[in-house]
Amino acid sequence: GVKKKSMDTDLFSCLWKLQIPSKVLVFAWRARHNRIETLDNLRKRKIVVPNSDYTCVFCHLCEENTVHLVSHVTSLIKSG
């Protein structure tokens, strides 16, 4: 609703003021709006990925979706 839009506006106005690469800002926006081309999102758009069971290509444990990619896989990259 209105509160979510206000929080999004506040978040992204703060992010845009930071001195970080634009590709990081775009990734954050796309992640927040579930617009990253994960296997889950491709399947929802009826795009067939050959030889894929739609599990995460990094951990092979669960479905690859935006939340998993941003939270779980990011923590794996930091620890590895």
Side-chain angles (χ1 to χ4, degrees):
V2 174
K3 187 171 184 168
K4 181 182 175 224
K5 276 191 172 186
S6 176
M7 288 174 52
D8 280 352
T9 303
D10 292 344
L11 171 68
F12 286 103
S13 65
C14 289
L15 282 176
W16 288 113
K17 292 176 186 175
L18 297 175
Q19 297 295 319
I20 56 178
S22 59
K23 64 184 176 183
V24 174
L25 295 171
V26 170
F27 180 82
W29 184 90
R30 291 180 73 197
R32 175 66 183 98
H33 295 281
N34 197 24
R35 298 291 189 249
I36 296 174
E37 292 182 358
T38 60
L39 292 172
D40 175 54
N41 283 339
L42 292 173
R43 182 180 61 218
K44 288 176 185 173
R45 292 171 43 202
K46 301 197 183 336
I47 297 173
V48 177
V49 180
N51 303 317
S52 177
D53 59 0
Y54 297 96
T55 57
C56 175
V57 297
F58 296 106
C59 73
H60 305 285
L61 298 175
C62 46
E63 184 176 72
E64 181 186 282
N65 59 42
T66 301
V67 172
H68 174 73
L69 188 67
V70 172
S71 61
H72 180 71
V73 175
T74 303
S75 67
L76 288 175
I77 292 169
K78 285 181 186 176
S79 66

